[in-house]
Amino acid sequence: MSIITEELLSISPNSTNSTDDGQLPSHIVTLMNVDQYLNYAAVIIIMIGMGGATDIAGIKKSLRRPWGIIVCCLTQFVILPAIAYGLAIALDMEPTYAVGLIVQCTAPGGSVSNMLAYFAKGNISLSVCLTTFSTLLAVGTMPLNLFVYGRKWTDAAQIAIPYLNVVISLILTLVPTAFGLLLKYKLPKYIDRITQVCSVVGTSLILIGIALRAYIQPGIFLNSWQIWVLVSCLPIIGGLIGFAASSIICQPCSNRRTIGIETGCQNVALALNVINTSFPPSPQRAVMQVISSLYGPVMAAELSLIVGVYRAFSRYGHCRRCDDAETVKDDVEEVKVGDINAELKMEDVTCKTSETQTVDVGPSDSDGNIYGDEKAYTNYSFES
């Protein structure tokens, strides 16, 4: 969905995109629809590329050792909402802003995290698993967190989870990813180029969407500096929490980056859907949408900058020690698995040997010597 709504346009300062009777011009409505379809297209293209960058073995490994998934879900749905509640209390926020903050910080991860994990040389298989599991868990954790932390400012029973939008988010994540995996096995020679193209095109669509929203309503960016500081801190706080928690349980470096990015990237569209579904159209609902509307572009800009800095340092060898150690460890594990498979194969071959067969041949002479065809013994018959 588009992150710009009519209520938000109607109350934002310095708005020039409305007529005298309060109706939106037709070209603004058209641009809002274009923004919505651009969002869908960006998610689909990004997830096709991420499907090409992942593999079935990596997904199985992430599920077989789910500590990364567990710690990410804990940071997203336990620690981060509690921090958001503490910030709202400490800053004495207005109820409308506070509700918007809580809703945004209880949302699961989105497709932007998968793209950033790719550029940060993270674990793409883990990233896809994290996005899928967090979206599934959000069906229960969002109502619970909004009940625990949001009832101070609003009636918790009023909060409604748009389950259809959750299902749409899952479909937009899983179906393109599966298609990307199919391309990987059907077109292995071209999949790296396909992934790169999808990442660039997806990023371009996101940037176009941000520019469209800035044109549709520039007043949304003219909020108070306190709101800007708060929104700017949220992705950094989430990323640091995820990275620190995964470091405590000694996750590989690529997993730490992936979990940090996933925790710092919350699903803006789903958070706005929760607000739109739970509250009737009003200026108050529009104010609730401000934090999520600002969070999207700020999160993308900040984490993209951090990923760019990491890539620059990595290029000159300043961040390679951890990654090289991780690569060596993976190679050792692959060798061990290969040795085990070889031993199992030899055992299987051995089990098929030592079958002795006796062939009856012609009669013998008076001395017992066999004449005619010789008697044949088969002591070993190796089958591969």
Side-chain angles (χ1 to χ4, degrees), residues 8-25:
L8 195 58
L9 286 167
S10 65
I11 63 106
S12 297
N14 301 328
S15 176
T16 58
N17 293 321
S18 60
T19 59
D20 295 336
D21 58 358
Q23 298 296 320
L24 295 176

Side-chain angles (χ1 to χ4, degrees), residues 249-260:
I249 63 171
C250 300
Q251 286 287 293
C253 293
S254 60
N255 288 11
R256 298 178 195 180
R257 294 193 296 272
T258 302
I259 294 171

Side-chain angles (χ1 to χ4, degrees), residues 200-360:
V200 172
V201 173
T203 303
S204 301
L205 292 178
I206 291 175
L207 294 176
I208 293 173
I210 293 174
L212 273 178
R213 293 162 207 147
Y215 171 77
I216 292 172
Q217 184 48 41
I220 189 63
F221 299 101
L222 300 178
N223 281 276
S224 65
W225 66 268
Q226 293 93 335
I227 297 298
W228 275 103
V229 171
L230 175 64
V231 171
S232 300
C233 289
L234 290 179
I236 305 300
I237 292 173
L240 289 176
I241 292 172
F243 190 89
S246 56
S247 298
I248 290 174
I249 63 171
C250 300
Q251 286 287 293
C253 293
S254 60
N255 288 11
R256 298 178 195 180
R257 294 193 296 272
T258 302
I259 294 171
I261 291 172
E262 184 74 20
T263 309
C265 291
Q266 309 303 312
N267 194 323
V268 174
L270 184 58
L272 288 171
N273 268 304
V274 170
I275 295 174
N276 292 337
T277 305
S278 303
F279 302 95
S282 65
Q284 288 74 26
R285 188 176 84 170
V287 175
M288 294 179 190
Q289 298 169 340
V290 166
I291 288 181
S292 293
S293 300
L294 292 176
Y295 176 85
V298 170
M299 173 264 294
E302 288 185 345
L303 293 183
S304 296
L305 178 61
I306 293 173
V307 170
V309 171
Y310 163 76
R311 296 272 300 203
F313 274 85
S314 178
R315 181 177 181 181
Y316 293 102
H318 298 293
C319 302
R320 291 181 180 174
R321 181 179 300 177
C322 183
D323 291 333
D324 290 344
E326 180 182 338
T327 302
V328 171
K329 182 179 179 180
D330 290 340
D331 291 342
V332 171
E333 289 181 354
E334 290 179 3
V335 170
K336 290 181 178 179
V337 171
D339 291 344
I340 293 173
N341 291 336
E343 291 176 3
L344 291 175
K345 186 175 182 180
M346 287 302 298
E347 290 178 1
D348 184 59
V349 170
T350 304
C351 290
K352 296 179 181 179
T353 62
S354 302
E355 294 182 0
T356 303
Q357 298 177 352
T358 303
V359 179
D360 292 332

Side-chain angles (χ1 to χ4, degrees), residues 50-69:
M50 296 306 99
T54 188
D55 58 83
I56 299 297
I59 293 175
K60 289 181 179 179
K61 184 178 180 180
S62 298
L63 296 177
R64 190 171 59 250
R65 302 175 182 175
W67 294 112
I69 298 175

